[in-house]
Amino acid sequence: EQKQLSQNEKSIFREISGALVGTRGAYLFDEKLNILGKVPFAELQATLKSLNNVYAIVLDGTIDSELIKAAEMANVKCVVAMDSKVKPDETKLAVATLSEL
């Protein structure tokens, strides 16, 4: 079953997304929605491999199948980005674009 974002998650992610526009960065969150850190989009997949407590990613970029695979392997539950090339039925993750928040 696909995860859905809660209203609280949406409002936090919307706020963070606004701050990310144009930075090519990604914020990583834990389950309590604390920010674990911010990494350049280019380093996101490597960072996911080294962390094991990432719950959500909010990024200035586009969600693609490669990113989804990396996120699924890292047990991430939510990915929010400016744009997505991935259809919701292609993953169990909660995937949202800024316009959907």
Side-chain angles (χ1 to χ4, degrees):
E1 185 185 333
Q2 186 168 26
K3 176 167 173 33
Q4 299 297 320
L5 295 177
S6 70
Q7 286 306 324
N8 183 41
E9 288 171 339
K10 284 183 180 182
S11 88
I12 290 171
F13 297 159
R14 187 185 312 122
E15 199 174 310
I16 291 287
S17 293
L20 269 176
V21 173
T23 64
R24 304 296 297 153
Y27 278 106
L28 308 176
F29 293 84
D30 68 12
E31 276 189 26
K32 295 187 174 136
L33 302 181
N34 297 311
I35 293 176
L36 295 168
K38 183 180 178 195
V39 297
F41 184 60
E43 292 171 26
L44 181 57
Q45 292 188 22
T47 304
L48 285 176
K49 285 184 183 139
S50 64
L51 293 174
N52 58 8
N53 61 337
V54 178
Y55 170 78
I57 305 166
V58 178
L59 60 111
D60 177 31
T62 299
I63 301 167
D64 60 18
S65 55
E66 203 175 300
L67 174 61
I68 290 293
K69 276 193 198 113
E72 285 174 344
M73 281 175 30
N75 288 314
V76 173
K77 302 294 182 243
C78 318
V79 183
V80 177
M82 303 304 147
D83 198 14
S84 177
K85 293 181 186 162
V86 177
K87 294 183 186 72
D89 61 2
E90 289 176 27
T91 177
K92 291 221 184 320
L93 303 183
V95 175
T97 59
L98 188 50
S99 60
E100 293 166 347
L101 297 178

